[in-house]
Amino acid sequence: MRWKEQLLRLTPYQPGRSIDAVKKQFNLEKIVKLASNENPFGCSTGVSTALQSNLSSLAIYPDGYATQLREKLAEFLGINEEELILGNGSDNLIQIISRSLLHPNASTIMATPSFSQYKHNAIIEGAVIKELPLINGEHNLDEMLAAIDEQTNVIWVCSPNNPTATYIPENKLIPFLDKVPPHILVVLDEAYYEYVVAEDYYDSINLTRKYENLIVLRTFSKIYGMAGLRVGYGVANRTIIKALEPAREPFNANSLGQLAAIAAINDQEFVEVCKEKNRQGLTQFYDFCEQNQLDYYPSQTNFILIDFKIDGDKVFQYLLEKGFIVRSGKALGFPTAVRVTVGSFEENVGVLQALSDFLKEN
């Protein structure tokens, strides 16, 4: 078969190890998964109630326009319904944007290391990829601007960034947006937006009103605890949304996901509780790193990247055999680090004890 040549050079996205697989491999009864930046506190009870009361509708196709969710989101964000696009997670929106704007005669700019799906989708579309290394874990916005050429169609900005958990302050983002030519789409990926506590973080939704070449991506997979339901959304001006819509699959936001997202929006108290517990959990990790003189990036997310100055796979494997699933930094562009999702207080105590044991043995 005549496959796209670029597909033959790609490997599929590699998710974290599943709980069942690790249990079976190491004959363990209990596994703590801290690899995929999921919410350890689950989802709002309102979400569970909404799902239980709507299981009889599974034989019916979803509302392709996601009318009720669109109305709720627009009200919640203070925007117009036409400024929204829904996705099967924000990953799906990255795919839609890439399909719409990237091709062999186009170039795209991104930081590295950052979220892998920007590059992955650009490769599939055959676009020219320009990667600019992070500086101290942060986007090098000046170099990203300098990389713009006549073929540039999309610039990807991940803030807070995965895997470093760093963010771009308002006084750096605004000058950057001012200098990007208006025909180039800037994608501001805010998957971890709800976890941010930095006082100099920007109001990205308002920025979409000022910059007509900006789209903001968010998701219900992280703090809302709905990763299994796959709901994400993008906010931009009507012109961008109208241009992207034909590339969106007809029913890409499933029925249960739409209902759950509405219930999740209605329970902002749950969001605030999770945000506070996450900050407390990060303090546990900060204290551990400082006690053991380990380098880390201060986090505006629900994960932390810790440099052990040793092969990240070795740390990963040690924790795996103890029943803790994390992500080795080797696959994330930080070969001597591991990325750990912040869990509950008890889960954090457990993984930090295992890491203490690792340091004593190594």
Side-chain angles (χ1 to χ4, degrees):
M1 296 187 183
R2 298 174 182 177
W3 302 107
K4 276 186 174 182
E5 183 181 341
Q6 53 266 38
L7 281 178
L8 302 179
R9 296 184 277 113
L10 275 176
T11 56
Y13 178 77
Q14 298 296 317
R17 296 285 300 275
S18 72
I19 291 174
D20 288 340
V22 176
K23 277 185 177 180
K24 184 176 181 180
Q25 182 178 0
F26 298 104
N27 194 28
L28 296 169
E29 292 185 3
K30 182 181 178 182
I31 300 295
V32 176
K33 187 184 177 190
L34 301 172
S36 301
N37 306 335
E38 297 145 332
N39 188 340
F41 308 108
C43 60
S44 163
T45 55
V47 170
S48 303
T49 301
L51 293 177
Q52 288 296 326
S53 61
N54 287 278
L55 293 177
S56 61
S57 63
L58 298 184
I60 302 171
Y61 281 109
D63 172 3
Y65 190 65
T67 306
Q68 291 183 331
L69 174 55
R70 188 180 295 272
E71 291 174 353
K72 173 60 70 173
L73 263 174
E75 179 187 10
F76 177 65
L77 298 171
I79 61 174
N80 297 312
E81 295 174 27
E82 297 84 3
E83 295 174 299
L84 279 166
I85 184 169
L86 277 296
N88 181 33
S90 54
D91 292 349
N92 180 218
L93 297 172
I94 293 169
Q95 185 181 53
I96 290 170
I97 291 166
S98 299
R99 187 178 185 186
S100 302
L101 285 165
L102 299 183
H103 49 78
N105 294 321
S107 70
T108 183
I109 297 168
M110 64 197 70
T112 185
S114 192
F115 187 47
S116 63
Q117 291 305 289
Y118 312 144
K119 183 177 182 178
H120 186 94
N121 282 282
I123 291 173
I124 290 174
E125 302 303 332
V128 175
I129 299 167
K130 298 185 177 184
E131 296 180 280
L132 285 303
L134 300 173
I135 296 180
N136 297 322
E138 299 179 354
H139 284 58
N140 187 339
L141 297 178
D142 289 339
E143 288 299 315
M144 292 176 77
L145 287 170
I148 293 173
D149 59 25
E150 291 296 321
Q151 286 71 48
T152 303
N153 279 0
V154 182
I155 300 176
W156 306 91
V157 178
C158 189
S159 177
N161 186 50
N162 182 5
T164 55
T166 54
Y167 74 105
I168 301 171
E170 183 176 39
N171 63 2
K172 291 185 178 180
L173 181 65
I174 300 298
F176 170 78
L177 293 174
D178 285 338
K179 294 174 184 176
V180 176
H183 66 277
I184 297 173
L185 182 67
V186 177
V187 183
L188 185 54
D189 189 346
E190 291 189 320
Y192 300 92
Y193 162 76
E194 291 84 2
Y195 285 109
V196 175
V197 296
E199 294 183 358
D200 56 351
Y201 200 71
Y202 42 82
D203 184 338
S204 59
I205 302 301
N206 278 338
L207 291 179
T208 63
R209 303 294 177 85
K210 180 179 179 182
Y211 300 97
E212 295 187 355
N213 61 332
L214 175 66
I215 185 168
V216 174
L217 306 186
R218 292 183 184 171
T219 181
F220 286 88
S221 295
K222 303 305 179 184
I223 207 166
Y224 286 104
M226 290 171 38
L229 289 167
R230 313 305 301 128
V231 183
Y233 63 93
V235 178
N237 71 73
R238 292 180 178 86
T239 304
I240 290 176
I241 299 300
K242 185 178 180 180
L244 290 174
E245 277 288 344
R248 180 179 64 82
E249 306 95 295
F251 305 107
N252 66 331
N254 69 80
S255 298
L256 294 182
Q258 291 181 38
L259 291 168
I262 292 170
I265 293 169
N266 285 333
D267 192 355
Q268 289 302 306
E269 182 179 351
F270 172 79
V271 173
E272 290 303 315
V273 168
C274 291
K275 185 175 184 176
E276 177 58 29
K277 288 182 177 179
N278 182 70
R279 298 317 300 180
Q280 294 170 2
L282 280 169
T283 299
Q284 292 176 265
F285 283 93
Y286 293 163
D287 291 345
F288 167 80
C289 290
E290 288 161 12
Q291 289 166 8
N292 292 280
Q293 297 181 316
L294 297 172
D295 292 332
Y296 66 94
Y297 294 110
S299 174
Q300 293 293 327
T301 67
N302 67 334
F303 63 85
I304 184 169
L305 187 71
I306 305 173
D307 190 355
F308 286 86
K309 298 292 192 292
I310 193 171
D311 189 334
D313 284 352
K314 187 174 181 180
V315 185
F316 163 81
Q317 187 64 32
Y318 182 90
L319 291 177
L320 195 65
E321 294 176 14
K322 301 293 183 182
F324 295 96
I325 310 175
V326 299
R327 287 299 293 267
S328 168
K330 220 169 192 180
L332 303 174
F334 292 88
T336 61
V338 295
R339 192 191 69 189
V340 187
T341 303
V342 178
S344 66
F345 177 84
E346 295 77 15
E347 290 170 339
N348 297 337
V349 168
V351 73
L352 291 173
Q353 182 58 58
L355 285 169
S356 294
D357 295 341
F358 172 82
L359 292 174
K360 290 175 184 175
E361 296 174 22
N362 293 273

